[in-house]
Amino acid sequence: MEETIEDPPTSAVLLDHCHFSQVIFNSVEKFYVPGGDITCRYTLTQHFIPRRKDWIGIFRVGWKTTREYYTFMWVTLPVDLNSESAKQEEVQFKAYYLPKDDEYYQFCYVDQDGVVRGASIPFQFRPENEEDILVVTTQGEVEEIEEHNKELCKENQELKDSCVSLQKQNSEMQAELQKKQEELETLKSVNKKLEQKMKEQKDCWETELLQLKEQNQKMSSENEKMGVRVDQLQAQLLTQEKKIEKLVQEVQDKTEQLEHLKKENGQLFLSLTEQKEHQKKLEQTVEEMKQKETAAVKKQQELTDQNLDLSKRLSENKILYDGLQREKETIEKKNELLKSENNRLLSYMGLNYDPLPYQAPTSSQGGARQNPGLVYGNPYSGIQESSAPNLLSIEPCPTCTADFADDIFDHTLEQHKPAVYLNCPICGKTFPAKEKQIFEDHVFCHAL
């Protein structure tokens, strides 16, 4: 086999001798003459399968790991790897790479995992003529040699016993291997059946795959349609969100207006003590309106949180929006009814004085006066409305530039002194005649 500089697979683990019988070395000499090539012959047992990276190395006796090889050669794989008979193989070591000393060496077969599978008897590299040297020994040396031979015989007997034990172990391993082979045959049969089932299952899966592909194409078409529908729903969602934002803003405006209305109601409550019971009911109504507006804000927030589920709740949002619109109209109608009731009560009380003229609404506006500072108007504006005809009828003082309403003209004129003082007809407070504008503002405040 051609030599190569590639390092063989080795192991740094200390090895035992349990696998040394799988490869047997044949015709190993006790010594080899230096300077010549060496042919190493070996036999692969029937239970051993060689692999591409297996190698044979020359090791010095006493080695511990497969990394301690002196030289090596790659093995040649047999032609028929499936043959159950033993295989005779050989490799040749070139003289250039062989050891030059006279130490003891041995061949070792190492597989590609770095495990030793066989080892030969020890041998030396020394000249051939050393055997012809006459050895002269004394009687003591002979006795020593005989003693050494006895020890060698004893060691040989131990090796034979060990060999018998190894053979027995080998037989047990062969029996176990035979059992494993039978199990392997059974597994092959089972595997064949499983392969048949897998083939049938594969055909079934291929059929299902075709069906899934068709379904996938249908789903793709439906997804495209759904995408168009989603775009439409998103456009509707944007429109709905704008409407909701507008409605929320209107609700906020209503809340602010209700707060302002509450303050105005407090002021009116001070000037209309006889209407306490009615004012209490009105405040309760306002509180209910505020709660309804708060509930509407909460509902709008819920609608904002539920925008992700537009396909199911878009219609609900529209219904809720329409409900809020109807509720708003209902509240406005209630406000109109309250205004009418206040107008009736205030007209009945005769509170109809306002020193400053202002534009009265036409009959097309329901006869209700609208205060530009209030969105829904003053709920107690009936006080002003009931007195509107008289407030617009102003009579001048015949002796000065002061103006008075018809209903208090006669009574005030008797006490009026030209260009000296102006007296408030409501609270009786006196103002200098030159402070006419302050006097008019003061009287107007009573009407608020």
Side-chain angles (χ1 to χ4, degrees), residues 177-193:
L177 180 61
Q178 183 66 27
K179 184 178 178 181
K180 294 293 184 183
Q181 287 178 347
E182 293 175 356
E183 293 177 356
L184 179 62
E185 292 297 330
T186 305
L187 290 175
K188 285 182 179 179
S189 176
V190 174
N191 188 32
K192 187 175 181 181
K193 294 179 181 179

Side-chain angles (χ1 to χ4, degrees), residues 362-409:
T362 62
S363 60
S364 62
Q365 295 174 329
R369 186 185 310 276
Q370 298 295 329
N371 191 335
L374 300 176
V375 176
Y376 300 111
N378 190 344
Y380 297 102
S381 60
I383 299 174
Q384 301 173 8
E385 292 170 359
S386 63
S387 61
N390 294 329
L391 290 176
L392 294 176
S393 298
I394 304 299
E395 291 292 336
C397 177
T399 59
C400 67
T401 58
D403 296 331
F404 298 94
D406 288 342
D407 57 338
I408 61 172
F409 177 78

Side-chain angles (χ1 to χ4, degrees), residues 202-439:
K202 183 179 179 182
D203 296 336
C204 181
W205 286 345
E206 288 177 353
T207 304
E208 292 179 357
L209 181 60
L210 292 176
Q211 295 176 355
L212 288 175
K213 286 182 179 179
E214 293 177 357
Q215 293 178 1
N216 189 23
Q217 292 177 356
K218 293 180 181 179
M219 290 298 293
S220 298
S221 177
E222 292 178 359
N223 286 338
E224 292 177 358
K225 294 179 181 179
M226 289 299 293
V228 175
R229 179 59 179 164
V230 167
D231 293 337
Q232 295 175 355
L233 290 175
Q234 286 179 348
Q236 295 177 4
L237 174 62
L238 293 175
T239 304
Q240 188 69 13
E241 286 179 348
K242 291 180 181 178
K243 290 180 180 179
I244 291 172
E245 290 177 357
K246 184 178 179 181
L247 183 59
V248 170
Q249 184 62 39
E250 291 177 357
V251 171
Q252 291 177 353
D253 295 340
K254 290 178 182 179
T255 303
E256 294 176 357
Q257 292 164 6
L258 288 174
E259 291 294 334
H260 186 62
L261 182 60
K262 187 176 179 181
K263 292 179 181 179
E264 292 182 351
N265 287 338
Q267 295 176 357
L268 291 173
F269 180 78
L270 297 176
S271 62
L272 301 173
T273 56
E274 66 277 7
Q275 297 292 336
K276 289 182 180 180
E277 185 66 23
H278 182 72
Q279 178 68 21
K280 183 177 180 181
K281 294 180 180 179
L282 185 60
E283 286 178 353
Q284 291 176 353
T285 303
V286 171
E287 186 64 23
E288 291 175 358
M289 291 171 58
K290 184 177 179 180
Q291 292 177 357
K292 290 180 180 180
E293 294 298 335
T294 304
V297 172
K298 290 182 180 179
K299 289 181 181 179
Q300 295 304 321
Q301 183 63 35
E302 291 176 358
L303 288 174
T304 303
D305 296 336
Q306 295 171 358
N307 281 336
L308 297 178
D309 197 12
L310 286 177
S311 60
K312 295 181 179 179
R313 301 188 181 181
L314 187 59
S315 58
E316 296 178 5
N317 290 342
K318 186 175 181 302
I319 293 172
L320 181 60
Y321 176 75
D322 293 338
L324 290 175
Q325 286 289 95
R326 290 193 297 270
E327 186 177 353
K328 177 184 174 184
E329 293 174 359
T330 303
I331 292 172
E332 291 177 350
K333 290 179 180 179
K334 288 182 180 180
N335 284 336
E336 291 295 331
L337 293 174
L338 290 174
K339 290 176 183 179
S340 300
E341 179 67 16
N342 285 338
N343 290 338
R344 186 182 66 80
L345 293 174
L346 294 175
S347 297
Y348 178 79
M349 294 173 61
L351 299 178
N352 54 359
Y353 178 76
D354 191 348
L356 294 181
Y358 53 89
Q359 183 65 33
T362 62
S363 60
S364 62
Q365 295 174 329
R369 186 185 310 276
Q370 298 295 329
N371 191 335
L374 300 176
V375 176
Y376 300 111
N378 190 344
Y380 297 102
S381 60
I383 299 174
Q384 301 173 8
E385 292 170 359
S386 63
S387 61
N390 294 329
L391 290 176
L392 294 176
S393 298
I394 304 299
E395 291 292 336
C397 177
T399 59
C400 67
T401 58
D403 296 331
F404 298 94
D406 288 342
D407 57 338
I408 61 172
F409 177 78
D410 295 335
H411 176 72
T412 308
L413 184 61
E414 297 175 356
Q415 301 176 358
H416 176 68
K417 297 179 180 180
V420 179
Y421 293 103
L422 297 176
N423 296 323
C424 177
I426 306 297
C427 63
K429 187 176 181 180
T430 303
F431 294 86
K434 61 181 180 179
E435 297 179 355
K436 180 181 179 182
Q437 183 63 42
I438 298 175
F439 169 77

